[in-house]
Amino acid sequence: MIKQDETIKHFVNLAKSDFSQVEENLSKIIFELQHSQNKGLNYIESFDEQLVLKQLENLRNSNKKGKLFGVPITVKDAIVVKDLESKAGSRILAGYKPQFDATVIKKAREEGAIILAKTTQDEFGFGTFSTNTIKVPKNPFDQNRSCGGSSGGSGGFTAYTSAYHLSIGESTGGSIACPASYCGVNGLTPTYGLVSRNGLIDYANSLDKIGAIGRNTFDSELLLNVISGKDEMDSTNLGINYAVDDYDLDALDLNELNKDVNKIAVIKDFYEFCDQDVKKVFDKQIEKLREFVEVEEVSLPLNVKYALSAYYIIATSEASTNLAKLSGLRYGIQEDVDGLHFDDYFSLVRSANFSDEAKRRIILGTFARMSGFRDAYYLKSLKVRTKLINEFKSAFKNYDLLLNPTMSTVAPRFDEIEKLTPIQNYAMDLCTVPANLAGLPHLSSPIGFSQDMPVGLMTVANHLEEKKLTAFGKLIEMIN
Amino acid sequence: MENEETKVMIGLEIHAYLDTKSKLFCSCPTNVNESKPNSLCCPVCLGHPGSKPVLNEKAVELGTKVGLALNCKINQDFFFSRKTYFYPDMSANYQITQYEIPLAGKGFVELGDKKITIRRAHLEIDPAALIHPSGMGQSNYVLIDYNRSGLPLIEIVTEPDLTTPDEAREFLITLENILSYLLVLKPETTLKADCNISINGGNRVEIKNISGFANAKKALTYEIKRQINETKLGKTIEQHTRAYNQETNTTIPLRKKETEEDYGYIFDPDLVKVNLTDEYLNKIKSSMPELPKEKIVRFIKEYNLSEYDAKVLCSDFELSNLFETIVKKGASPKITNQILTREFLSILNHDSLNFNQVKINETDIFDLVKLIESEKVSDKNVKESMINYISGDKTSPKSYLEKNNLLVDTTIDLDSIVISVIDANPKAKEDYKNGNEKTLNFLAGQIMRQTKGSAQIDKVLEKLKEKIN
Amino acid sequence: MVNIEITKDLVKKVAKNARLELTEEELERFTSQIKDVILDSFNKLDEIDVSDLEASFQPIEQKNKFRKDEPNQNFSQDEALKNVIEKLKENGYIKGPKAM
Ligand SMILES: [Mg+2]
Ligand SMILES: [Zn+2]
């Protein structure tokens, strides 16, 4: 059950008439941020107090009181913020201070948000546990466990802080849902193209989606409302804004809210892949939901079999070209070039500064698009994507929403993660990858605990049907 | 030179700068020539992380016009790809270009009676400019200027239909002329060509990035000779890439086939497909300007020019426009054509100048044509005034003629001069009557001297004959 | 069906193409890992027939996103060089490695 005073909307309403609320909340969150840093929880990649205080002063003197007035926002490191070191969790971008704000940052600032800090992540988003980087975030529920990835710092810090706060995450194959699930927060990934990618340091451009992480669906959807919409700087942007309706939590009519959600289905294939204890929590939630909506089962045999393969081919193919630009010139790590042939200089900088996982994915992606293999891997994977989207589309003819546990397990311990081979590691994304490959909007909602660790439920909607998702997310929150 | 049975196949890949105000995928200005290094860039063309490309609609329009002018099939659905290769001039280490489906497919260019097949024409970005501070090969590093990075290029690829370096040069000139009629070329830029060449069905050697038509011819001539010599020595020509060194007029190997890049083309996922509607295409088709071929036909018909003269005038867009402007002001097409194609072009040829290197004012030529029409100037003085106009102090032909008293003085009574000269030379008169034609020239020379050369020579001769008989 | 043997030589060649110089240890490790991923995952796509389908370049296909040909704000020279280290600046140019 969410209470009105837990929501960002409540805070913004207070802040608009009483600026001390903004100051208090900001001091609180800066204190917690620094505290988490001192404890080595590693949620924060970069933080510049001067830049934050400057924003506070600007707000104090501003007449415009926007939808996120005074709300501190953390941002996944891959999303560029002007003058704040942004390196997508990679050493090769150390020192890079972007000279422009990502469109989402611009939009958030226009609504009065305070851009607080960059959050830790797997290098370039390459990972499920935020362990493929130098600063590895630790799960607030158990420091021996992962926050999930790749937006791990965002998930971890959202769970950790007690202040009013929102986080902008990014998902390529599940990087918002996964940390939301592992950290027990709300993660909303929109339809591909709903939110501008301008200013996002690309992982895989045809898969990357910027989204919202918050305490609850009300907060996440408010952030989505602000950051979505038309942007001329991103050719793949759909030019559509996600609208929010006003609400009064005390008088919320759940049936009215969910009037468009009539029939939903659990994706059997993904469900079966999950651990017993995760299933138990999930089953309990489904039983509760049956009071409000008809729940059936559906099978997506092609997705369960082929989505991971197609996803990893597309993602690594695109990533390997994106990372070509990172070669030690113009920004980030740079060395003396005198006397070095360009092949040697580029190899030197790249070999010394990419992590193992980046190297593996660059090699896989370069391989998949090389002449001789390109037809069988890269081009075929794009056609397979069409087939897998079609499979989802036929399921949406019968169901408004599709459900599965977000992750097959609760957050694993770091010593367990170390033992995973790359192929086992990639398989951990089974439940989140298909919806991401298809560019479908999805929401991860916390639904309970197993072994004292949070469990998440993932809801998937058809393209641009975010409204059904958020209505359903609110239902879950109000009945729990 | 190459022996008779050497079969040469030359294919060209020509890069031309399109005349847009902003770059192909970002809104940086394109006035690179008058700008400081690295002062016309942005996150997109510098390859800064997070930046995204957005396609310039004007470049598509200009590219479509090029395709149509080259008789190509326009692919109404096309897209852009990433061609990945590492080089210090590529800000992203991939070039945004077109691979599977180019904007324009198969077409042709007529070269006399021969048709040179155009394989394709596509849009792509230009890399940055590199400076080798101590010369190519000697420098320890390069200096990079990203102003050029991202400029819109159209790449035009021919089939290997060209058979001699001269033909390749002629093709380039013809192509440039067509492009100038279209008004799609960025002013003050030259075409750059990659030349692919093979002899006797052997492997193809690519000579990269040659600027200028004369250089293309020289590089190809050298390369054919080199390949013939290699073959004579029993060596096989391997497929590889070379560079042309202008100073030594030779080609040098750049890299071997084994180390050639595997471009690993992928669709550029930051961009979306382009669909040119029928309506759009029809609109462009109807806005196509007159092309050289059409203009030649019209000039013959409208101005009663010979085919040869019309072709000469239309082989240069500016020249054909100059001709037409002068004629439209009321000058005789015949005389205007004579001034431009005979006098003017022969001076240019003599001084190895290009048309665009000289300043020609339409009024200056018009005034001159008018003087000729009213018979106030001799051929000799027309030539003299034009030489001065182009290579001398550049005063207009009319003022030059006036200043130097070279105009026919209508107050001079030519008849009485002729009579007085005949009377003063009775022997010459007799000799001519007895059949010695040469004495007529002697008498004419006397008359010309007295008129300070302003008289028309044929007129003088005519009058002499008339008075003697 | 792609018949491909993933050898150390192939991995080395692909890495070189991507300008990565691998140590012997990395080469050893990556070769077996990459082999697993390609054989167990990538090659799965052999089983599925997609001959009648169009490729999805993006999950939601869009067309004709253009920008008007209008020059807009761009970086000054100082701004273009702002993230460049001192050693790699020379008279307004950016120094790069040898290109011949
Ligand atoms: Mg090209
Ligand atoms: Zn630019």
Side-chain angles (χ1 to χ4, degrees):
Chain A
M1 181 81 170
I2 306 294
K3 295 193 199 72
Q4 187 84 24
D5 66 359
E6 293 170 27
T7 62
I8 296 291
K9 185 188 146 191
H10 169 79
F11 168 75
V12 171
N13 279 341
L14 289 182
K16 280 178 179 172
S17 53
D18 177 7
F19 198 72
S20 72
Q21 298 279 344
V22 175
E23 289 169 315
E24 258 170 55
N25 186 62
L26 191 64
S27 320
K28 185 172 170 187
I29 203 166
I30 290 176
F31 173 79
E32 287 178 346
L33 182 155
Q34 286 166 338
H35 193 63
S36 74
Q37 291 289 74
N38 296 338
K39 285 205 290 185
L41 296 175
N42 289 342
Y43 303 130
I44 304 303
E45 187 67 67
S46 46
F47 167 65
D48 180 336
E49 193 162 3
Q50 290 313 309
L51 286 180
V52 174
L53 295 178
K54 224 165 83 188
Q55 295 175 73
L56 182 70
E57 286 325 298
N58 289 343
L59 267 194
R60 189 195 304 279
N61 303 319
S62 143
N63 307 319
K64 201 195 157 208
K65 300 215 170 14
K67 291 181 214 170
L68 295 177
F69 186 74
V71 180
I73 287 189
T74 56
V75 185
K76 187 178 187 176
D77 196 28
I79 296 161
V80 305
V81 173
K82 193 167 187 268
D83 299 330
L84 186 57
E85 188 185 42
S86 300
K87 50 192 198 303
S90 179
R91 189 166 44 200
I92 204 165
L93 278 169
Y96 172 53
K97 290 203 172 162
Q99 291 164 259
F100 67 109
D101 271 335
T103 297
V104 292
I105 301 299
K106 222 180 276 171
K107 287 181 186 266
R109 288 196 206 275
E110 273 161 24
E111 293 297 337
I114 298 171
I115 307 302
L116 180 69
K118 306 298 295 290
T119 56
T120 46
Q121 61 167 95
D122 285 294
E123 182 178 27
F124 305 113
F126 298 163
T128 312
F129 306 112
S130 296
T131 47
N132 295 322
T133 187
I134 297 162
K135 270 185 163 177
V136 178
K138 295 172 183 165
N139 197 297
F141 292 90
D142 177 351
Q143 293 184 31
N144 294 314
R145 290 177 187 267
S146 163
C147 279
S150 62
S151 311
S154 283
F157 189 67
T158 304
Y160 178 81
T161 182
S162 61
Y164 291 101
H165 154 264
L166 286 165
S167 194
I168 302 179
E170 178 276 334
S171 172
T172 308
S175 290
I176 290 174
C178 167
S181 173
Y182 283 173
C183 297
V185 295
N186 185 284
L188 177 55
T189 309
T191 305
Y192 178 84
L194 188 74
V195 176
S196 168
R197 291 182 300 109
N198 178 46
L200 171 66
I201 303 176
D202 312 291
Y203 167 1
N205 326 49
S206 80
L207 296 160
D208 295 345
K209 300 160 291 286
I210 294 179
I213 295 178
R215 285 286 187 153
N216 54 61
T217 311
F218 299 95
D219 291 357
S220 299
E221 75 163 352
L222 175 62
L223 182 54
L224 182 61
N225 167 254
V226 169
I227 63 177
S228 64
K230 195 176 164 117
D231 183 19
E232 303 285 346
M233 305 288 278
D234 171 8
S235 307
T236 60
N237 177 255
L238 295 169
I240 298 168
N241 184 245
Y242 172 86
V244 276
D245 307 316
D246 203 13
Y247 59 88
D248 176 0
L249 275 186
D250 300 324
L252 208 59
D253 179 344
L254 293 179
N255 286 315
E256 172 61 21
L257 188 69
N258 276 275
K259 64 180 187 316
D260 295 327
V261 180
N262 298 310
K263 213 155 117 191
I264 64 175
V266 173
I267 307 171
K268 199 169 65 182
D269 320 75
F270 302 166
Y271 173 81
E272 275 159 12
F273 177 74
C274 297
D275 277 6
Q276 222 37 58
D277 47 347
V278 168
K279 280 183 189 164
K280 242 193 252 166
V281 180
F282 183 82
D283 290 344
K284 233 171 94 189
Q285 185 68 58
I286 296 296
E287 281 321 304
K288 262 186 168 176
L289 285 163
R290 284 191 199 278
E291 285 176 37
F292 297 86
V293 62
E294 204 177 325
V295 189
E296 293 183 1
E297 274 189 351
V298 70
S299 179
L300 301 176
L302 294 175
N303 269 283
V304 72
K305 228 169 153 187
Y306 302 112
L308 277 173
S309 306
Y311 169 80
Y312 275 99
I313 293 173
I314 295 171
T316 57
S317 294
E318 292 179 7
S320 64
T321 66
N322 289 323
L323 298 190
K325 69 172 68 154
L326 306 181
S327 294
L329 291 179
R330 301 181 302 282
Y331 47 77
I333 293 280
Q334 297 157 67
E335 309 277 351
D336 200 347
V337 295
D338 266 28
L340 283 172
H341 186 266
F342 72 88
D343 276 331
D344 298 326
Y345 177 74
F346 292 161
S347 298
L348 181 102
V349 172
R350 291 164 61 81
S351 306
N353 294 292
F354 284 134
S355 73
D356 276 5
E357 188 55 28
K359 286 179 186 171
R360 266 193 297 269
R361 294 200 192 196
I362 289 171
I363 295 170
L364 281 168
T366 306
F367 169 79
R369 59 184 170 82
M370 251 166 63
S371 65
F373 308 123
R374 175 174 186 272
D375 289 5
Y377 295 117
Y378 171 68
L379 287 178
K380 179 141 191 194
S381 68
L382 296 178
K383 290 185 175 179
V384 171
R385 167 149 69 186
T386 308
K387 191 148 188 150
L388 301 185
I389 292 173
N390 291 345
E391 189 180 53
F392 266 112
K393 291 277 175 184
S394 16
F396 285 121
K397 279 184 192 143
N398 301 318
Y399 305 105
D400 295 306
L401 297 169
L402 304 178
L403 275 67
N404 54 265
T406 309
M407 298 303 289
S408 58
T409 67
V410 294
R413 288 196 316 272
F414 292 115
D415 59 339
E416 295 169 332
I417 293 166
E418 265 171 39
K419 292 190 199 113
L420 295 174
T421 65
I423 193 94
Q424 289 169 324
N425 198 323
Y426 297 170
M428 293 292 290
D429 299 336
L430 181 89
C431 296
T432 58
V433 154
N436 276 277
L437 181 65
L440 296 165
H442 53 280
L443 178 73
S444 182
S445 311
I447 52 167
F449 290 83
S450 169
Q451 316 162 39
D452 295 325
M453 294 305 291
V455 172
L457 177 147
M458 175 162 148
T459 316
V460 185
N462 205 344
H463 288 142
L464 294 169
E465 295 199 338
E466 275 82 359
K467 272 278 165 219
K468 285 184 184 172
L469 268 190
T470 52
F472 190 70
K474 291 170 189 172
L475 172 69
I476 292 175
E477 282 156 8
M478 297 314 285
I479 64 175
N480 280 350
Chain B
M1 222 19 242
E2 63 260 42
N3 63 47
E4 303 253 349
E5 57 270 39
T6 305
K7 189 175 172 257
V8 177
M9 283 166 77
I10 300 170
L12 301 175
E13 292 166 24
I14 299 111
H15 292 91
Y17 288 101
L18 292 174
D19 190 17
T20 58
K21 292 191 189 75
S22 62
K23 292 184 180 179
L24 186 52
F25 293 108
C26 61
S27 52
C28 288
T30 53
N31 51 315
V32 292
N33 286 340
E34 63 258 35
S35 303
K36 288 195 297 182
N38 297 307
S39 65
L40 298 176
C41 342
C42 72
V44 176
C45 53
L46 283 168
H48 277 200
S51 63
K52 304 279 179 280
V54 184
L55 179 59
N56 182 339
E57 62 178 359
K58 185 78 182 176
V60 174
E61 183 194 318
L62 299 184
T64 306
K65 282 187 175 173
V66 172
L68 290 172
L70 304 182
N71 308 293
C72 292
K73 175 188 173 289
I74 300 298
N75 290 315
Q76 285 174 256
D77 290 286
F78 60 86
F79 53 87
F80 289 88
S81 295
R82 291 179 172 183
K83 175 183 182 180
T84 304
Y85 65 95
F86 288 79
Y87 204 68
D89 65 3
M90 291 295 303
S91 64
N93 284 321
Y94 61 77
Q95 182 187 31
I96 305 180
T97 179
Q98 296 189 272
Y99 181 55
E100 283 97 338
I101 304 173
L103 166 56
K106 199 176 162 186
F108 63 88
V109 167
E110 280 169 315
L111 221 54
D113 296 334
K114 194 169 165 181
K115 270 187 186 175
I116 306 301
T117 305
I118 302 296
R119 185 184 293 168
R120 55 186 282 152
H122 68 250
L123 299 170
E124 65 182 25
I125 52 170
D126 196 29
L130 292 187
I131 293 174
H132 305 263
S134 336
M136 257 195 178
Q138 270 82 50
S139 300
N140 257 337
Y141 58 88
V142 292
L143 295 176
I144 314 171
D145 174 6
Y146 289 92
N147 287 352
R148 241 178 54 189
S149 170
L151 287 180
L153 292 174
I154 184 147
E155 178 174 331
I156 299 158
V157 185
T158 76
E159 292 295 341
D161 291 350
L162 299 156
T163 52
T164 65
D166 270 313
E167 201 176 58
R169 181 172 173 273
E170 198 194 328
F171 173 82
L172 288 169
I173 291 170
T174 308
L175 176 68
E176 188 180 59
N177 191 41
I178 295 172
L179 298 181
S180 61
Y181 272 68
L182 286 176
L183 297 172
V184 297
L185 282 185
K186 188 170 161 55
E188 286 160 52
T189 59
T190 47
L191 303 187
K192 286 184 286 185
D194 297 342
C195 304
N196 288 291
I197 179 160
S198 66
I199 63 166
N200 300 327
N203 280 317
R204 179 168 60 88
V205 173
E206 182 178 11
I207 316 169
K208 277 252 174 240
N209 212 13
I210 310 175
S211 275
F213 307 152
N215 284 336
K217 183 182 157 184
K218 280 192 237 167
L220 284 168
T221 308
Y222 173 85
E223 182 58 22
I224 292 169
K225 232 187 280 175
R226 192 192 68 81
Q227 292 192 18
I228 289 171
N229 289 341
E230 293 276 295
T231 318
K232 271 188 195 152
L233 292 171
K235 293 181 191 162
T236 39
I237 307 293
E238 278 182 63
Q239 186 177 334
H240 70 291
T241 307
R242 302 178 76 84
Y244 174 62
N245 186 332
Q246 224 171 301
E247 279 109 64
T248 55
N249 185 31
T250 55
T251 65
I252 44 171
L254 262 182
R255 47 180 184 249
K256 281 246 161 24
K257 180 67 196 162
E258 310 87 76
T259 55
E260 300 247 317
E261 298 278 355
D262 187 311
Y263 296 130
Y265 287 96
I266 64 165
F267 167 74
D268 191 327
D270 273 336
L271 294 162
V272 299
K273 290 180 179 174
V274 179
N275 168 259
L276 306 181
T277 60
D278 292 342
E279 193 192 349
Y280 176 90
L281 205 54
N282 288 335
K283 218 171 110 191
I284 295 205
K285 277 180 185 163
S286 63
S287 74
M288 287 290 279
E290 184 179 47
L291 292 174
K293 219 177 130 182
E294 294 143 12
K295 202 169 198 173
I296 290 167
V297 173
R298 185 168 64 80
F299 273 19
I300 295 171
K301 214 174 111 194
E302 241 170 74
Y303 303 117
N304 204 16
L305 298 176
S306 72
E307 188 183 338
Y308 175 81
D309 286 338
K311 275 185 175 164
V312 172
L313 283 174
C314 296
S315 69
D316 189 296
F317 181 55
E318 300 288 335
L319 184 66
S320 63
N321 286 345
L322 182 66
F323 168 80
E324 198 151 32
T325 318
I326 294 165
V327 169
K328 288 237 163 90
K329 285 176 103 166
S332 143
K334 191 172 161 228
I335 297 172
T336 308
N337 169 56
Q338 269 168 13
I339 292 297
L340 293 180
T341 61
R342 309 277 196 283
E343 303 299 340
F344 177 51
L345 288 183
S346 74
I347 297 165
L348 286 188
N349 270 343
H350 181 266
D351 296 351
S352 314
L353 289 169
N354 280 327
F355 181 60
N356 51 21
Q357 286 171 290
V358 297
K359 272 218 172 83
I360 293 278
N361 180 300
E362 64 205 38
T363 319
D364 293 343
I365 304 293
F366 175 80
D367 290 346
L368 178 63
V369 173
K370 279 295 172 194
L371 288 176
I372 300 168
E373 278 178 34
S374 55
E375 302 183 342
K376 283 187 178 159
V377 57
S378 69
D379 291 352
K380 180 176 156 285
N381 289 337
V382 166
K383 189 179 272 327
E384 191 179 317
S385 70
M386 280 295 286
I387 290 173
N388 180 67
Y389 184 50
I390 290 155
S391 314
D393 71 5
K394 307 203 166 35
T395 43
S396 77
K398 192 181 176 187
S399 353
Y400 177 84
L401 292 167
E402 281 168 356
K403 248 194 288 179
N404 295 293
N405 289 322
L406 296 177
L407 288 174
V408 175
D409 187 350
T410 41
T411 59
I412 290 176
D413 184 352
L414 188 59
D415 281 6
S416 58
I417 295 177
V418 170
I419 288 165
S420 75
V421 167
I422 293 172
D423 289 350
N425 296 283
K427 186 164 184 299
K429 181 183 166 186
E430 279 315 301
D431 286 354
Y432 175 70
K433 275 189 164 172
N434 293 333
N436 190 347
E437 296 266 330
K438 275 185 188 162
T439 52
L440 203 63
N441 288 338
F442 165 75
L443 291 171
Q446 302 278 310
I447 296 161
M448 290 303 281
R449 208 166 305 137
Q450 290 202 21
T451 62
K452 290 179 185 145
S454 68
Q456 287 276 34
I457 185 75
D458 15 331
K459 219 166 194 178
V460 170
L461 289 170
E462 196 183 300
K463 280 212 188 303
L464 271 171
K465 282 181 201 162
E466 182 192 309
K467 300 289 172 198
I468 292 174
N469 298 325
Chain C
M1 180 78 192
V2 201
N3 242 323
I4 169 88
E5 212 196 324
I6 314 294
T7 61
K8 281 201 321 194
D9 279 350
L10 178 66
V11 171
K12 198 172 175 174
K13 184 184 149 197
V14 178
K16 201 171 169 179
N17 190 275
R19 299 307 183 275
L20 290 174
E21 207 67 62
L22 303 181
T23 63
E24 193 50 40
E25 182 275 322
E26 283 176 320
L27 188 60
E28 198 77 46
R29 192 155 42 92
F30 289 165
T31 302
S32 80
Q33 291 169 338
I34 282 164
K35 194 170 171 177
D36 284 352
V37 175
I38 291 172
L39 298 183
D40 297 353
S41 178
F42 286 18
N43 280 357
K44 254 197 197 160
L45 296 193
D46 277 342
E47 303 165 11
I48 181 169
D49 177 25
V50 289
S51 46
D52 54 335
L53 292 171
E54 291 275 323
S56 288
F57 289 156
Q58 282 115 357
I60 297 188
E61 295 261 313
Q62 292 194 78
K63 274 180 200 160
N64 295 347
K65 288 297 188 74
F66 296 115
R67 187 173 51 73
K68 289 233 177 316
D69 183 29
E70 286 159 2
N72 213 329
Q73 262 197 320
N74 55 281
F75 284 162
S76 66
Q77 190 186 69
D78 279 352
E79 286 169 322
L81 302 185
K82 203 177 156 216
N83 268 288
V84 180
I85 59 168
E86 280 313 312
K87 246 192 233 168
L88 296 188
K89 290 182 199 174
E90 193 171 302
N91 302 325
Y93 290 93
I94 298 174
K95 273 174 78 171
K98 275 202 291 197
M100 275 300 274

